[in-house]
Amino acid sequence: MIAVVVLSLVVALAAVALAVVALRRTAVPAAGDAEALPADVEGLRREVAALRAEARDALRHLSVVRYDAFGDMGGHLSWSLALLDDSGHGVVLTSIHGRSEARTYAKTIVAWRCEQQLSPEEQEAVTAARPGKG
């Protein structure tokens, strides 16, 4: 009987020792210890940086301004839509709706400016799409 108790105690101590070794191997490195980070974490950091750089070119700033282009029509059927990236490059699309026809225009925006004259509604859409300005 004593032999079984001693054997159980030895097995329990071995299990505790293995658990301590396993915890030491999986311990999280200190916040400032960048060399101790596994290579896959560094790969993830590079991937996040690449995604951020790619997102700068995405048309992710947008604004829609709806309005009545003609005084005799209601319902705000005309609209101007600004689609811009972080640098202010993109396009303003405008659709003017009248009683018998609709016209659509596209104007290129470079660095938050347009070579063509913008209507007040188009300028409002570009301004509202600008981060921190809308």
Side-chain angles (χ1 to χ4, degrees), residues 91-114:
V91 65
V92 173
L93 302 174
T94 297
S95 182
I96 306 292
H97 289 264
R99 289 211 180 268
S100 61
E101 66 181 3
R103 294 182 183 239
T104 303
Y105 304 92
K107 296 179 182 177
T108 302
I109 305 295
V110 178
W112 306 104
R113 298 180 190 270
C114 184

Side-chain angles (χ1 to χ4, degrees), residues 63-67 80 82 118-130 133-134:
S63 176
V64 176
V65 175
R66 295 176 53 103
Y67 54 96
S80 293
L118 295 176
S119 71
E121 295 83 7
E122 290 169 332
Q123 186 60 55
E124 181 182 347
V126 170
T127 300
R130 191 170 190 164
K133 301 290 182 180

Side-chain angles (χ1 to χ4, degrees), residues 46-58 60 85-86:
R46 285 191 298 276
E47 185 67 24
V48 167
L51 289 171
R52 284 185 178 153
E54 187 176 314
R56 283 191 289 270
D57 295 332
R60 61 189 192 131
D85 66 8
D86 286 351

